[in-house]
Amino acid sequence: MSDNNNDFWTAWQLLDPLLPTGGFAHSNGLEAATQFGFIDTGNGHGVDVSTFVSDIARNACSTLAPFVLAARNRFDSSSSFEGRAEVEDISAWSKENAILHAMLTGNAPALRASLSTGTALCRAAVAAFSGDSSSISQKLKALKQASKPNTRVGHLACVFGAVCGILGISERITIRMFVYVTVRDACSAATRLNVVGPLEVASILRKSTKTMEDMCEEAIKRGSDVQSAAVSAPLAEMFAAAHDQLHDKIAMMEVEKETAAFAGLIEVSLQSSISSATKLFSTYPLRILYPKKVQFDKSVDCAWFYTVSYGGGLVSGDLVPMSVDVQKNCTASVCTQGTTKVYKSIKPSSANGTCNDVDSENTKTTKQTLEAKVGTNALLCWLPDPAQCFKDAKFEQVHEISLADDSSSLCFVDWITAGRVAHDDARWAFRSFLTRTTVTTGDDTVNVIESQRLENAASNNEEESLAKRMANAHVIASVILIGPRTEAARRKCAEYAKDSSKRTTNAASWLTAKSPLPAGVSYSLATASESKTQRMNEEGNEKDSLVLRVLASDIESAYGVLRECLQPLETEIGCPPYNERGGS
């Protein structure tokens, strides 16, 4: 943006709350966090508003900023937008909207708000700025025509970036504006909730300037690759998804693929009408076990597999690519024999054979990938124990699951513990953890994306550490349930989350308790978001997918939630998930 006075007026108008740029559409989880007792409301217990607002901004920068920048750069006023270029740009922009829609599937309140405010902004931008020039009018009207609230196109981040690009606003100003609007709306919610007064909110906004600027610079550095988008503040995301479970609301809530050979390969097909392993291969650092006696109910057809790591875990630089193919009418469960331990990351060995320490950014990342296919009427249950990353570990997971059609079913569990909690300095002390799960159907329609990035700041500032931000949470889990054969489990998960809404008052107070939590008492928090996997403009409103997210104070509490919520799958796989070892 130049020093032209008109440019400043444009930016100020986009920031004005009278324009629907997300203003007051939802609280980004602050309302739920307050009702759950996570926010300090003056009783000296919980986190302060400014800390939670920083986490909201952190998620905006890591999850939404890539989409803002991608749209802004695509519609930059300096680029051509005539004829074929217009069609290509709108098509690519629509695909980015679909990816963002899939990423928000696990957060139903945010998904609705993103679409409603995005399409509203599009209409307002046409009314406000079409008179600037015929070129601007043409571009904005093309956006409006493509944006429809009942489809996957028109998400706020994508619309905001596109409008800024069309109006000639620079990358830095665009990201700063987007983050400011996000933070402003959260602070507004805090005022309306009477958590803080308007003068204190003004102070919070001012004091957060340096932190927000650093986050914006980091977002610009990461760039416009939408595949890099990931949640980096899971507690804020968890509370945002919990909004629908509140009794009272003030808001309007509406791998890269590896070329190396697979370390593990499983193919399941029918042999004499029984699901059987027709291909089974594994090599270091992975071993796959195929026991024949697992099910409690022997009449249920299911092939069971267990993955094992040599040496008890994965070391720095290990690469574990897996392939699973569950063919038509088959059932398969893939489990582990214990937590997936990931040891500290080190630099590559030097010329004399010695290993270097972890000080450099060039330390090796441990990576685990999965390419899975689920055939017609088939079911894949991916039921690992949690990942356990040790201090200074760097771990990345990329899961790509392709469902043949709407009759294919999937239960996918992905979770992580805080690490070696017996050691005070090793709790949430890994360097980085990135996990990304993408589920597609048939014609490559993206249905669900669950993506999370947890990182410890390089500054070693205790106040900015992951352990501090995760409060007393020891486990974070995500469960994706899709398809007709998971219907009973989806109902159970939804009921479990609904039941937890009956105790919303201080239900999350354990997260910020200063004294040690009582031994033997389970503490957890769960949200469930249901949606349709088919294109949203298809007829019918029946929901066929669910994303369950769980926070727990310890691993046994998390196991308890998973066992209860997934127990209905026993009729499909022969024994209750995470309970089968008692019958083997």
Side-chain angles (χ1 to χ4, degrees):
M1 189 170 72
S2 68
D3 289 334
N4 188 309
N5 288 336
N6 287 333
D7 293 336
F8 286 106
W9 282 106
T10 299
W12 292 335
Q13 187 167 359
L14 284 172
L15 292 173
D16 195 307
L18 292 177
L19 198 69
T21 50
F24 318 123
H26 66 124
S27 66
N28 283 292
L30 192 140
E31 182 183 354
T34 301
Q35 289 202 29
F36 276 104
F38 184 69
I39 300 294
D40 183 0
T41 56
N43 56 8
H45 179 81
V47 303
D48 57 79
V49 172
S50 61
T51 300
F52 194 81
V53 167
S54 292
D55 274 354
I56 290 174
R58 196 183 310 277
N59 273 343
C61 287
S62 65
T63 308
L64 301 176
F67 292 92
V68 175
L69 288 174
R72 184 259 164 216
N73 294 342
R74 188 174 306 286
F75 293 100
D76 187 356
S77 58
S78 62
S79 63
S80 172
F81 198 81
E82 302 293 337
R84 182 165 169 243
E86 175 182 337
V87 176
E88 291 175 349
D89 285 341
I90 290 293
S91 175
W93 181 74
S94 298
K95 290 178 181 178
E96 288 162 0
N97 271 270
I99 293 173
L100 179 54
H101 189 96
M103 288 197 69
L104 294 176
T105 298
N107 188 342
L111 186 148
R112 295 194 302 271
S114 178
L115 276 174
S116 62
T117 54
T119 52
L121 171 61
C122 213
R123 293 194 301 271
V126 170
F129 303 114
S130 285
D132 288 16
S133 71
S134 59
S135 175
I136 288 178
S137 176
Q138 176 193 1
K139 297 174 185 179
L140 291 175
K141 288 177 180 178
L143 287 182
K144 180 183 176 182
Q145 186 175 3
S147 302
K148 298 177 182 178
N150 61 339
T151 67
R152 299 181 175 213
V153 181
H155 281 282
L156 177 62
C158 297
V159 173
F160 190 96
V163 170
C164 287
I166 291 170
L167 297 177
I169 298 174
S170 70
E171 281 191 341
R172 277 184 166 75
I173 299 297
T174 297
I175 288 299
R176 286 169 179 161
M177 288 167 55
F178 185 80
V179 173
Y180 172 78
V181 167
T182 303
V183 171
R184 179 201 65 193
D185 297 344
C187 288
S188 173
T191 303
R192 288 176 286 146
L193 284 165
N194 204 28
V195 178
V196 293
L199 295 180
E200 187 176 352
V201 159
S203 175
I204 289 172
L205 276 171
R206 183 59 183 169
K207 290 178 180 177
S208 63
T209 301
K210 175 64 168 61
T211 302
M212 304 306 157
E213 181 65 17
D214 290 344
M215 291 181 187
C216 290
E217 287 299 321
E218 186 62 32
I220 293 169
K221 188 185 300 182
R222 275 198 294 266
S224 58
D225 179 10
V226 297
Q227 299 298 331
S228 70
V231 172
S232 58
L235 296 191
E237 178 75 3
M238 187 82 175
F239 286 117
H243 188 94
D244 284 349
Q245 296 169 213
L246 302 181
H247 295 301
D248 302 305
K249 304 181 180 75
I250 62 162
M252 296 187 304
M253 291 312 298
E254 290 286 315
V255 179
E256 177 180 307
K257 295 182 179 179
E258 301 294 338
T259 56
F262 293 113
L265 187 149
I266 299 171
E267 180 188 88
V268 179
S269 62
L270 289 180
Q271 301 293 310
S272 301
S273 301
I274 297 174
S275 298
S276 306
T278 46
K279 289 183 182 179
L280 188 62
F281 167 80
S282 60
T283 185
Y284 181 88
L286 184 69
R287 186 182 177 193
I288 300 177
L289 306 180
Y290 178 36
K292 297 300 176 65
K293 296 181 179 180
V294 177
Q295 296 97 314
F296 295 173
D297 185 350
K298 305 302 180 185
S299 66
V300 176
D301 176 38
C302 181
W304 285 78
F305 303 89
Y306 288 84
T307 63
V308 183
S309 299
Y310 285 94
L314 302 176
V315 299
S316 178
D318 271 350
L319 174 62
V320 190
M322 272 196 72
S323 172
V324 177
D325 185 358
V326 185
Q327 297 186 359
K328 183 177 180 180
N329 297 326
C330 291
T331 306
S333 293
V334 182
C335 312
T336 58
Q337 282 201 322
T339 60
T340 301
K341 296 178 176 63
V342 183
Y343 299 106
K344 77 174 185 178
S345 177
I346 61 174
K347 289 165 62 177
S349 300
S350 60
N352 61 11
T354 60
C355 289
N356 295 292
D357 207 345
V358 297
D359 296 332
S360 170
E361 287 298 318
N362 296 321
T363 52
K364 296 187 290 185
T365 298
T366 302
K367 188 171 183 179
Q368 192 164 262
T369 68
L370 170 68
E371 293 181 13
K373 297 178 182 178
V374 185
T376 300
N377 297 321
L379 168 65
L380 169 62
C381 289
W382 185 266
L383 303 169
D385 295 287
Q388 182 182 21
C389 296
F390 285 26
K391 185 177 181 180
D392 292 323
K394 294 172 70 175
F395 187 41
E396 179 179 348
Q397 297 182 117
V398 178
H399 311 117
E400 297 181 352
I401 301 106
S402 175
L403 309 181
D405 51 42
D406 292 335
S407 70
S408 308
S409 299
L410 172 71
C411 170
F412 194 92
V413 180
D414 185 16
W415 51 325
I416 183 174
T417 72
R420 303 177 72 187
V421 294
H423 301 263
D424 290 338
D425 65 339
R427 183 177 175 278
W428 297 111
F430 48 81
R431 298 191 65 185
S432 64
F433 170 76
L434 172 64
T435 183
R436 184 180 179 87
T437 303
T438 305
V439 184
T440 59
T441 300
D443 59 353
D444 291 331
T445 299
V446 181
N447 294 318
V448 179
I449 297 177
E450 275 286 281
S451 185
Q452 194 160 222
R453 181 193 295 113
L454 304 179
E455 295 176 322
N456 271 298
S459 63
N460 294 322
N461 185 336
E462 184 178 346
E463 292 301 312
E464 296 180 3
S465 69
L466 184 60
K468 183 76 172 179
R469 290 190 278 121
M470 290 299 292
N472 287 331
H474 174 65
V475 179
I476 182 167
S478 173
V479 182
I480 299 173
L481 294 168
I482 296 179
R485 296 178 66 179
T486 67
E487 182 179 358
R490 284 186 276 118
R491 283 200 304 268
K492 184 68 174 180
C493 290
E495 290 169 3
Y496 184 92
K498 185 177 180 180
D499 288 343
S500 70
S501 69
K502 298 175 182 178
R503 51 182 175 82
T504 56
T505 303
N506 295 325
S509 57
W510 59 271
L511 279 168
T512 54
K514 292 182 171 55
S515 57
L517 297 176
V521 181
S522 296
Y523 295 94
S524 62
L525 189 64
T527 67
S529 295
E530 297 180 273
S531 66
K532 289 179 60 177
T533 57
Q534 298 92 344
R535 298 183 188 275
M536 292 186 68
N537 59 356
E538 289 185 359
E539 295 183 1
N541 295 315
E542 184 177 352
K543 296 175 179 177
D544 60 354
S545 72
L546 178 143
V547 176
L548 177 75
R549 289 171 176 169
V550 180
L551 287 175
S553 59
D554 57 73
I555 194 168
E556 281 307 315
S557 297
Y559 273 122
V561 175
L562 294 178
R563 287 175 183 136
E564 180 174 349
C565 290
L566 301 182
Q567 188 276 332
L569 288 172
E570 180 178 3
T571 58
E572 296 287 346
I573 61 178
C575 49
Y578 298 105
N579 248 343
E580 81 285 351
R581 289 164 202 166
S584 57

